[in-house]
Structures are given as C-alpha cells and as structure tokens.
Amino acid sequence: MTPFLAELTGTMLLIILGGGVVAGVLLKDSKAENSGWLVISFAWGFAVAFGVYLAGQISGAHLNPAVTISLASSGQFAWKDVPMYLLGQLIGAMLGAVVVWLHYLPHWSRTVNPGLKLAVFATGPAIRKPFSNLLSEIIGTMILMIGLTAIGANKFADGINPLIVGFLIVAIGLSLGGTTGYAINPVRDFGPRLMHFLLPIAGKGNSDWGYAWIPVVGPLIGGVLGVHLYKAVFADIFSIWLGVSATATLVVIVLAYIKER
C-alpha cells in the first residue's frame, strides 16, 4: 500500500467512526439517540486511534492537513509530499461521509431538524461569533499539535502510541470541544460538508458554507503554532513560522475581543 492510499483509508475510517457516532446520537430513532457529548467525544478519540493503527506503519497516519502542513513547516516532512497527503485525506473524508450516509439511510427522512443532519457531516458553533469560533479552532489544534509532539517525545510500549493519541482527542473534545465541535482537522469538516452538499439527503437544508472557512483556517494556524511553540519552549528552536502563526493568532484574539464587546 502507498502512503496516498494509507492516508485515504485511515481518514476514511476516521470519518466512518467519528461521523457515525454523531449520526447515532443525533438522528431520529437511532438506538443511540440522545446518548450525549461524552459518547461522541470518546468515539471520536477511538476513531482517531484506529485510523492511526490502520495507516501509521505506512504513511505515519497524519489523517489531517493541519498535521501534515505543521510537520512540513518544521522540517519533519517533505513539502513535495504534502499535496499527495492532502488529496488522500480529502478523498478519504468524502468517502467516509458517504458510508455514514448509507449506513443511516432510513434515519434521514425521520429526522425533522436539518441542522442535526448537517451536524453529522460538519461542525458548527454553539454561539456564532466568527472570530471567537476561529480562535477556538486555533487553540484546539494548537493543543493537538503540542500533545502529538509531546507523545512522540516519550517512550511507550510498542503499539500504545495510537491509543494515547486517541485519548488526547478525547481530552480535547471534552475540554475544548463545546464551542465549535472541535474540527481541529480541515478535511474532517470540508470533505463531509461537501458530501452533505452533493448527496441526496432527505430534508437536508443548506450546508452552511459561510462557516466552512473557520474549521479550515483555524486548524492550519493552530497546528503550525502548536508544533513551533513546542520546539521553542522545549528545544530552544525558534522559527519564522512561530512568529507568523503567533501574529495571526494575536490578530484573531484582538478581533474576537472587539467583536464580543
């Protein structure tokens, strides 16, 4: 298997399990209906863990453009391989969303609220404040990359690392996910949102493209900030990427504060 296919299949599994739990919790007449945020957070964590188990030995299991671009910016991944990884991740996310749609096929027509149907595919804010929502995605992905870098710097028993990564996702979801649904991954949101737009889902409503830029831009800024902040603090390695991402984050903080006032 090539790294392209590994990223595709790993991301596909991630979306099948992650989108699947959201569908189970939100869609009408599912046996898991109304089982809550705790169930969603743990299932997303395990979704990431099993995606990493599937693809890790072949591609390193980025499964996330924010991870790929952050590692490339820090010299840990070749820029020439970035487009291939991103394409695999996007296609995998789209295919995973199709599988979720098919699996829950009878439940779409029984679910009246179109917002719940969109939530199966894409994230959305609890309170719609664009710059605050953007800041939440930056912070969540910054913590993700700091956590991933820290996990990589520690020694674990063989085969345990993906599970530890999964619990990091659970922690982010439980602690930081309540504001925006913690995309922390551009293709996790964009790929399924695109399929929500394209698929013949009964009574689906609009795909909220006005919000779609936030779970793309936020994770990209936050991921770069996280990996370079870790290197600056723990390895005394400073990069222009740190300055650029920190400046962008500061601008977002100021705008979020001004808009909130």
Side-chain angles (χ1 to χ4, degrees):
M1 179 178 282
T2 65
F4 171 80
L5 286 176
E7 287 296 302
L8 189 156
T9 55
T11 308
M12 181 176 174
L13 180 61
L14 165 66
I15 298 301
I16 291 172
L17 297 179
V21 70
V22 180
V25 171
L26 296 184
L27 296 183
K28 186 67 176 173
D29 295 332
S30 160
K31 289 181 180 291
E33 188 178 3
N34 298 320
S35 52
W37 188 252
L38 190 65
V39 169
I40 289 174
S41 296
F42 269 92
W44 268 107
F46 292 137
V48 171
F50 287 116
V52 174
Y53 276 121
L54 180 64
Q57 296 299 314
I58 300 165
S59 68
H62 296 183
L63 315 182
N64 182 342
V67 173
T68 301
I69 290 173
S70 298
L71 292 178
S73 73
S74 64
Q76 300 173 70
F77 186 71
W79 279 107
K80 66 180 179 61
D81 293 329
V82 168
M84 174 188 65
Y85 269 57
L86 267 55
L87 182 60
Q89 292 157 6
L90 177 59
I91 294 173
M94 294 168 66
L95 292 176
V98 173
V99 173
V100 173
W101 170 63
L102 290 171
H103 185 81
Y104 283 92
L105 202 56
H107 296 267
W108 303 106
S109 60
R110 296 197 179 193
T111 304
V112 175
N113 187 343
L116 296 181
K117 298 173 189 180
L118 176 59
V120 173
F121 293 87
T123 61
I127 299 173
R128 189 172 288 261
K129 296 277 189 176
F131 290 107
S132 292
N133 302 150
L134 182 62
L135 181 59
S136 288
E137 288 294 332
I138 290 172
I139 292 171
T141 317
M142 177 188 72
I143 298 301
L144 171 66
M145 286 309 303
I146 290 173
L148 290 177
T149 309
I151 290 169
N154 283 273
K155 299 259 184 213
F156 296 94
D158 289 345
I160 297 298
N161 284 55
L163 192 58
I164 303 301
V165 171
F167 279 109
L168 171 62
I169 301 300
V170 173
I172 292 171
L174 292 177
S175 301
L176 304 175
T179 54
T180 62
Y182 70 118
I184 59 175
N185 180 341
V187 299
R188 171 266 173 273
D189 188 276
F190 181 77
R193 191 186 297 270
L194 181 58
M195 297 318 297
H196 175 272
F197 176 75
L198 295 173
L199 289 170
I201 302 165
K204 64 181 178 181
N206 72 74
S207 301
D208 196 11
W209 289 108
Y211 181 79
W213 67 277
I214 290 173
V216 173
V217 175
L220 293 178
I221 296 173
V224 172
L225 177 62
V227 73
H228 288 282
L229 186 61
Y230 183 95
K231 292 180 70 174
V233 172
F234 290 94
D236 294 324
I237 299 174
F238 296 87
S239 164
I240 190 172
W241 288 97
L242 176 60
V244 171
S245 57
T247 300
T249 302
L250 182 59
V251 170
V252 173
I253 290 171
V254 171
L255 291 172
Y257 180 74
I258 291 172
K259 292 297 183 180
E260 183 59 33
R261 293 184 67 191

